[in-house]
Amino acid sequence: GIQVEQSPPDLILQEGANSTLRCNFSDSVNNLQWFHQNPWGQLINLFYIPSGTKQNGRLSATTVATERYSLLYISSSQTTDSGVYFCAAFMDSNYQLIWGAGTKLIIKP
Amino acid sequence: KAGVTQTPRYLIKTRGQQVTLSCSPISGHRSVSWYQQTPGQGLQFLFEYFSETQRNKGNFPGRFSGRQFSNSRSEMNVSTLELGDSALYLCASSWGLTGGRTEAFFGQGTRLTVV
């Protein structure tokens, strides 16, 4: 079936470290978003990136649609980066946003 | 510009009762989607409304229903609550239909506990 898979499921880093989160999707997409869910449950938009590369401060993302994956880069991690990172992809074949299981990131001071 | 507003933030209900959750989208947005988030199942799509019409529905029983008003505000109703309905319910707002190259923005969620 249609799937969105994220890796790694858990990541523990020291403050200041860099990290790469991966999102693989099983079909072609025309809408892909990355979100950060804070401890209170709010989903915060990071990137809307169906293809190409975008940067926002310490965060950047790249989607290679032809190879069916997206990467989220976090540089110089801060404790406030802790939380769960989700990617969600819209595939025409299923007409809804399909969510990955998330990457739980813990940044230690 | 105000974000997506969900009310109430927290709710405790008893099995068998019904509950109504509300979502006010970002001004100008016409699409509202609802999701259920549980620790075991992750984020699951419930339904999407656009211009007062349900455009898509996830795989949930008929106890879950919704509607959208002319001002794009949406309500979700769950009847005959079960313990398994305990979850965080998230609402997303977007200018166009999901999948139409339009970005979705989420509210803070309503945390429902069924006892």
Side-chain angles (χ1 to χ4, degrees):
Chain A
I2 298 157
Q3 290 183 340
V4 175
E5 295 180 343
Q6 291 187 244
S7 60
D10 300 279
L11 192 54
I12 301 174
L13 299 170
Q14 289 296 132
E15 201 168 23
N18 301 329
S19 58
T20 301
L21 283 57
R22 187 177 179 101
C23 174
N24 291 334
F25 36 93
S26 60
D27 202 350
S28 58
V29 301
N30 58 21
N31 181 337
L32 187 133
Q33 291 187 241
W34 282 96
F35 297 91
H36 174 211
Q37 189 167 41
N38 64 24
W40 297 272
Q42 170 110 47
L43 281 166
I44 299 163
N45 288 48
L46 296 178
F47 294 101
Y48 168 74
I49 187 165
S51 63
T53 298
K54 290 187 178 179
Q55 179 152 11
N56 184 4
R58 297 181 296 104
L59 274 61
S60 64
T62 295
T63 297
V64 183
T66 52
E67 297 186 22
R68 300 184 181 171
Y69 72 88
S70 183
L71 301 173
L72 176 69
Y73 305 96
I74 305 174
S75 65
S76 305
S77 298
Q78 300 174 359
T79 55
T80 51
D81 294 331
S82 296
V84 183
Y85 290 79
F86 289 100
C87 70
F90 182 95
M91 301 174 211
D92 283 334
S93 49
N94 202 38
Y95 212 75
Q96 61 180 263
L97 272 178
I98 306 295
W99 294 77
T103 292
K104 184 174 182 181
L105 177 64
I106 297 173
I107 304 297
K108 293 187 171 183
Chain B
K1 190 167 171 179
V4 182
T5 303
Q6 290 188 245
T7 57
R9 291 289 311 281
Y10 303 93
L11 208 48
I12 300 175
K13 289 286 189 178
T14 304
R15 267 184 306 175
Q17 287 186 312
Q18 75 163 13
V19 67
T20 299
L21 313 182
S22 178
C23 174
S24 292
I26 292 170
S27 178
H29 284 194
R30 297 177 294 169
S31 169
V32 173
S33 298
W34 290 89
Y35 296 84
Q36 181 195 67
Q37 186 178 25
T38 58
Q41 297 295 319
L43 273 136
Q44 302 288 316
F45 171 73
L46 281 155
F47 27 67
E48 178 176 15
Y49 286 87
F50 184 87
S51 294
E52 302 179 64
T53 302
Q54 188 181 91
R55 299 302 180 115
N56 198 10
K57 190 178 188 322
N59 190 24
F60 278 81
R63 300 185 297 106
F64 291 81
S65 63
R67 59 178 174 168
Q68 187 180 34
F69 302 94
S70 58
N71 62 358
S72 294
R73 188 178 72 87
S74 177
E75 288 182 347
M76 188 192 95
N77 185 275
V78 187
S79 62
T80 319
L81 283 166
E82 300 176 0
L83 294 178
D85 297 333
S86 296
L88 178 66
Y89 290 87
L90 291 159
C91 155
S93 146
S94 58
W95 181 84
L97 275 169
T98 301
R101 297 192 176 273
T102 179
E103 190 173 0
F105 296 87
F106 282 79
Q108 292 180 297
T110 294
R111 193 168 294 278
L112 171 65
T113 302
V114 182
V115 297

